[in-house]
Amino acid sequence: MTSSSVLDLAAVVPVVVLEDAADAVPLARALVAGGLPAIEVTLRTAAALDAIEAIAAEVPGAVVGAGTVISARNVSDTVAAGARFLVSPGWTDSLLDAMKASEVPFLPGVSTTSEVVALLERGVSEMKFFPAEAAGGTAYLKALSAPLPQARFCPTGGISLASAPTYLALPNVGCVGGSWMVPADAVAAKDWARVERLAGEAAALRG
C-alpha cells in the first residue's frame, strides 16, 4: 500500500478517539460495514495503542492507522501495534525521518505554504491539511492548487458532512478526515448501528 492509496481508500477517513479499547473492534466493524475502511485512531488516550492492536488483529477489512503522531517513539509504538499508516498534526525533520524509516505510508500535517514547499523538497507530496477550517479551509487549498499542483491533501479539522463535498471537489484533495460519523454519545452508548449509518452517509460522498 502506498501513501496515495491511503488518500484513495475512501472519501472520508474517520478520526477516532477511544477511551476504552474494548470499543475498538465493534466500532471499526461498524465503520468498515458502512464503507469506511481507513480508520485513524488518535494517540490522545491511554487506550489508543491497545485499540490499534485490536483492530489490526480482529477486523480484517479495516486499514487502521495512527493519528496525532508527534514523535519517533509514537511511530515505532504504533507500527509495532499494527498501524498501517501514520498521520501527524504537524512535522519536524526528525519526525519526518522517523515516519519515512517506518516504511508505512504517512501523512505529515501542514497549515502553511512554506511547510508544503518544505515537504515537497523532501520528496513528500501527500499531506494532512490541519486544522483545515481554522487554517483557511477550501479557499486556502484552492489557492495552493495553482502554484503547487503536485501536492495532495487530506484536510482534517472542523469538517462536517455538509462541508466535506466542497473539499472533495477540489483537485488537490484526495479525502477528508472527520469525526462526525463517530460522535462521542454514540460511542458511549455503543450504538454501532448509528455509527454504521453515519459511515454509510460519509462513504457515499464520493460519487
Side-chain angles (χ1 to χ4, degrees), residues 29 33 46 48 51 55 74 96 105 109-110 112 130 134 172 186 196:
R29 286 175 175 157
I55 294 170
N74 288 161
L96 188 66
V110 296
T112 70
F130 176 83
N172 55 350
E196 181 178 342

Side-chain angles (χ1 to χ4, degrees), residues 59-104:
V59 189
V63 179
V64 64
T68 322
V69 173
I70 59 172
S71 69
R73 176 68 181 270
N74 288 161
V75 171
S76 58
D77 286 350
T78 54
V79 171
R84 293 170 62 187
F85 65 93
L86 306 171
V87 184
S88 67
W91 68 279
T92 64
D93 285 327
S94 59
L95 178 58
L96 188 66
D97 289 343
M99 290 193 292
K100 281 188 169 186
S102 73
E103 299 186 347
V104 302

Side-chain angles (χ1 to χ4, degrees), residues 32-168:
V32 171
L36 300 181
I39 302 167
E40 176 187 334
V41 178
T42 67
L43 300 182
R44 300 179 193 175
T45 67
L49 283 175
D50 288 341
I52 290 168
E53 190 169 11
I55 294 170
E58 299 181 45
V59 189
V63 179
V64 64
T68 322
V69 173
I70 59 172
S71 69
R73 176 68 181 270
N74 288 161
V75 171
S76 58
D77 286 350
T78 54
V79 171
R84 293 170 62 187
F85 65 93
L86 306 171
V87 184
S88 67
W91 68 279
T92 64
D93 285 327
S94 59
L95 178 58
L96 188 66
D97 289 343
M99 290 193 292
K100 281 188 169 186
S102 73
E103 299 186 347
V104 302
F106 58 91
L107 295 173
V110 296
S111 61
T112 70
T113 308
S114 293
E115 290 170 325
V116 175
V117 172
L119 280 177
L120 291 172
E121 191 176 78
R122 295 287 304 272
V124 177
S125 61
E126 293 168 346
M127 314 165 193
K128 171 179 177 172
F129 179 58
F130 176 83
E133 286 288 285
T138 55
Y140 193 96
L141 285 170
K142 188 174 182 179
L144 285 181
S145 66
L148 300 170
Q150 64 271 54
R152 292 182 75 213
F153 301 94
C154 176
T156 305
I159 297 174
S160 66
L161 179 67
S163 64
T166 310
Y167 282 93
L168 291 168

Side-chain angles (χ1 to χ4, degrees), residues 7-8 10-11 152-155 168 170-176 206:
L7 292 180
D8 298 333
R152 292 182 75 213
F153 301 94
C154 176
L168 291 168
L170 296 175
N172 55 350
V173 170
C175 63
V176 299
R206 175 166 285 156

